[in-house]
Amino acid sequence: MELIPGLSLDLGLQAWAIWILPFVAALILPAVGKASKRATGWVAIAFALASALCAVSLLPGALEAQEVHDQVNWISSIGIKAGVLADPLAVIMANVVGWIAFLIIVYSTGYMKGDKDIVRFWFWMMFFIGSMQIIVLSDNLLMMFFGWEGVGLASYALIGFWYRDKAKDHVGVQGRKVLGLMDYYSPTHAGMKAFIMTKVGDIMMLSGMFLIFAFAGTFGFRELMHDTAWATSMQAQGLLVPAAVLLFGGAIGKSAQFPLNEWLLEAMTGPTAVSALIHAATMVKAGVFLVARIGPLFFALAAAGFALDQFFMVIAWVGAITAILLATQGMVNPEIKKVLAYSTGSQIGYMMLALGVAGLSKQFVDGYTAGFFHLISHAMFKASLFMAAGSLLHVVGSRFMTDMGGLRKHMKKTYAFMWAAGLGLMGAPFITTGFWSKDAIFAAVYESGSEWALPLFAIAVLTAVITAFYTTRMIGMVFFGDKSKHIEHMEKEGHHVHEAPLSMWVPYGILAALTIGIGVIGLTAEHGIHELFTEYLAHTFHIESAHVEAESGIGIPFLEGINPVALGASLAAFAIGAGLGYVFYIGRFVDPVKFVNSNIFFYSLHKVILNRWYLNAMVYWCFVVAPLWLARGVWRYFEKTAIDAGMNMGVERAVGWSAKVVQKTQTGVAQSYLYVFGAGILFVVLFLFI
């Protein structure tokens, strides 16, 4: 085993166990379910905990910038090995996935209690965790792709988990249409949409992988770095940037980035535990992790003289466009899970933006650290928000925030935890992880030195304003104001609003507390990750950081070195967004409905944003409705007319006419047959000799 000197052999086995244990659980759960469905929850918890403990056992070495690299033979005929690469990047990510997954599994025991298909639920959840950890720990692109497809399959199964398509499991507003198309989706439809749209990105990723393999003869991350002759050959033929962009296409699909972002909103048909695990904390981060894994490789190539600025520019602009596009939609949507889904896509856009500008900057580690630090902080507070939203849905029985209101008196714990996690999403100054990670992104963008730094910075700040607004809006609509008619009707029927059970609120309470707790020491945490990644990038990719604290940095000791422009933008964005949200939805000084309807511009803008900028409708028109019309046209005017009527009926008539002509020549007179025979011979002679 290829372990670094001084590390125990056991660490290699533990690295393998991180992803193998969840698969073992998935295999035995159906058998356990035959004996006791209740026991399946305990099995899932035990294996999720064991996997997380294996991940944490690798953390001490990773924090010292050490790694575990272990390989076994896989496809010997072409020299491909399967292996685990537990370097600092992978170990931190494995712990994020492992521990958040464990908390969500615990939460699910309460949320999914009584579901008759609980065994199927546990199977796919554990299958997903194992597949996600393969992505994180793989030492090569091919093995990563197996995990990539595994999480896609599990996501499809869990989005469409309630495949009976009852009305309560749909998303969207029943009867509402956009450009003539129904904006109301069932779980099975949503599952298929996610599967198909992410496959577009998967095909791009597979194409990029095999394009690189054709020149390099390897899929291994370390091998690609050690011998870069393949990059020289690809650049000579103009294929290096296209291959890199094709790889990024996989990240666009899996992380729901523009233009493959529309599947994520319908993915909310799955159980909320699924949304918390797959569509907030882990799977949608797979694209970010892919960029974080290959980004240093391509930056090192760029530093060696390869032209790769276009690749990093694509990453930065895709992230920026996604961030602002989805943030605007979170401002107006009435469904709580959809608001959080829009927010997830938008925040992942932030991460992509940071990783993109890292490649455009001389200080690669700054943007790299900012993007990955935001991944960690976002995973915590967004998983907490999704689980808290699940508690609200559990209690209220509706996905619409307009059916809630005034819940802070009845669900005090959930109210407090949603505020804590929500402040993280908003980037509340100095006390949340979200503030430090967003500020780091702002600083990385502003200091990148790119020609597009200012417009990208402006988009990032505007997105932060909108984020603070829609988060305050969500909390205001759910917890403030009077009870909705829906709740009053529930109470009349004897269903009283109450706090979520212990098994549900403890997991999201822990993540909410971590959002604030780590936020209080956030600058120290950020510097710690920055130093770790500085050493990791220098050791593995020979990317040296020449970071020098700016003279204009803040002089206050605990803010030493903070960019004042980035800090000012962070504070202003939070104040403006949260302030507007308070005016409209907590203080209720202005009626948002009257405000929107008071001006044709605001009314039109609201309608366009509510209709998802018409992007979803255009996707259906271009890739579903139009092809169906074309297929029907081909059937009606070619197959039915040209083939059925023209060929079949035409041939039938021609044969019939020929038969009648031949029939008339059958006179029974021998002299007539001699004339015809002679005419035939004369025709042949003339044809051959004239």
Side-chain angles (χ1 to χ4, degrees), residues 430 436 439 443 447 523-524 526-527 531 547-564 567:
F430 309 123
W436 298 110
D439 184 81
E447 297 174 353
L523 191 58
T524 302
E526 181 194 339
H527 283 170
E531 292 173 4
H547 185 73
V548 178
E549 302 293 354
E551 293 183 2
S552 58
I554 300 297
I556 304 172
F558 82 98
L559 294 178
E560 192 68 41
I562 293 293
N563 184 289
L567 178 62

Side-chain angles (χ1 to χ4, degrees), residues 93 97 128 131-133 135-136 144 147-149 151-152 205 247-248 250-256 277-278 280-294 348 351-352 355 375:
M93 186 68 178
V97 172
F128 169 83
S131 298
M132 186 65 201
Q133 295 288 30
I135 292 175
V136 173
M144 174 185 275
W148 199 268
E149 292 304 292
V151 296
M205 179 180 175
L247 280 178
F248 179 57
I252 291 175
K254 201 66 75 183
S255 290
L277 178 63
I278 296 180
T282 55
M283 188 191 85
V284 289
K285 303 296 196 314
V288 181
F289 181 80
L290 173 63
V291 177
R293 175 60 84 193
I294 65 173
I348 292 174
M351 301 168 207
M352 293 296 189
L355 293 172
L375 182 154

Side-chain angles (χ1 to χ4, degrees), residues 558-582:
F558 82 98
L559 294 178
E560 192 68 41
I562 293 293
N563 184 289
V565 176
L567 178 62
S570 297
L571 297 175
F574 173 78
I576 295 170
L580 289 172
Y582 182 86

Side-chain angles (χ1 to χ4, degrees), residues 175-475:
R176 185 174 180 274
K177 293 185 176 182
V178 179
L179 295 182
L181 301 174
M182 194 68 70
D183 190 29
Y184 184 65
Y185 304 98
S186 67
T188 53
H189 179 101
M192 288 187 289
K193 181 176 181 179
F195 191 79
I196 292 170
M197 290 195 75
T198 54
K199 283 296 163 287
V200 175
D202 294 354
I203 292 170
M204 293 175 66
M205 179 180 175
L206 196 63
S207 302
M209 284 169 46
F210 281 109
L211 192 57
I212 291 174
F213 181 78
F215 285 86
T218 181
F219 292 106
F221 298 121
R222 288 292 179 263
E223 292 83 352
L224 290 171
M225 184 62 211
H226 291 156
D227 183 3
T228 59
W230 61 273
T232 304
S233 301
M234 292 187 75
Q235 179 164 274
Q237 298 189 35
L239 293 174
L240 185 58
V241 171
V245 173
L246 283 171
L247 280 178
F248 179 57
I252 291 175
K254 201 66 75 183
S255 290
Q257 297 294 281
F258 178 82
L260 299 177
N261 57 281
E262 292 299 328
W263 68 266
L264 183 60
L265 295 314
E266 275 69 73
M268 298 303 106
T269 55
T272 305
V274 171
S275 301
L277 178 63
I278 296 180
H279 306 125
T282 55
M283 188 191 85
V284 289
K285 303 296 196 314
V288 181
F289 181 80
L290 173 63
V291 177
R293 175 60 84 193
I294 65 173
L297 169 63
F298 286 106
F299 182 81
L301 292 175
F306 294 89
L308 285 161
D309 281 359
Q310 290 175 319
F311 169 59
F312 288 108
M313 187 66 73
V314 168
I315 296 174
W317 274 107
V318 165
I321 292 170
T322 307
I324 188 70
L325 182 70
L326 297 190
T328 57
Q329 297 177 57
M331 295 168 62
V332 299
N333 200 277
E335 299 178 61
I336 187 167
K337 285 178 68 178
K338 272 197 171 185
V339 170
L340 293 174
Y342 283 119
S343 174
T344 295
S346 176
Q347 296 300 303
I348 292 174
Y350 264 133
M351 301 168 207
M352 293 296 189
L353 171 59
L355 293 172
V357 298
L360 299 172
S361 169
K362 293 181 180 179
Q363 300 301 326
F364 180 82
V365 69
D366 292 348
Y368 190 79
T369 300
F372 201 79
F373 185 38
H374 196 56
L375 182 154
I376 297 169
S377 63
H378 178 266
M380 290 190 298
F381 60 67
K382 186 55 66 64
S384 178
L385 284 169
F386 259 113
M387 287 190 281
S391 294
L392 294 170
L393 268 63
H394 222 259
V395 171
V396 177
S398 173
R399 62 185 180 274
F400 294 100
M401 293 185 290
T402 48
D403 288 336
M404 302 178 190
L407 295 179
R408 69 185 188 279
K409 298 177 182 178
H410 305 279
M411 302 180 71
K412 295 180 180 179
K413 295 184 181 69
T414 299
Y415 169 65
F417 295 141
M418 281 198 80
W419 257 126
L423 287 172
L425 176 58
M426 296 160 69
F430 309 123
I431 61 169
T432 63
T433 58
F435 169 76
W436 298 110
S437 56
K438 279 187 182 180
D439 184 81
I441 292 174
F442 287 177
V445 175
Y446 186 76
E447 297 174 353
S448 66
S450 166
E451 59 180 321
W452 297 104
L454 288 180
L456 289 171
F457 181 75
I459 291 173
V461 174
L462 180 58
T463 301
V465 173
I466 297 172
T467 302
F469 174 79
Y470 68 63
T471 306
T472 309
R473 169 183 178 264
M474 175 183 68
I475 292 175

Side-chain angles (χ1 to χ4, degrees), residues 11-82:
L11 292 181
L13 297 176
Q14 288 170 5
W16 285 97
I18 292 171
W19 66 265
I20 291 175
L21 284 171
F23 281 121
V24 172
L27 286 173
I28 68 174
L29 276 166
V32 174
K34 291 288 186 181
S36 170
K37 285 188 176 182
R38 185 176 182 181
T40 56
W42 291 106
V43 171
I45 289 174
F47 276 86
L49 177 60
S51 177
L53 289 172
C54 287
V56 83
S57 71
L58 300 176
L59 199 55
L63 294 178
E64 296 179 3
Q66 298 173 340
E67 69 177 39
V68 178
H69 188 195
D70 183 37
Q71 293 181 318
V72 296
N73 289 326
W74 186 13
I75 310 176
S76 301
S77 58
I78 54 176
I80 294 179
K81 295 182 178 181

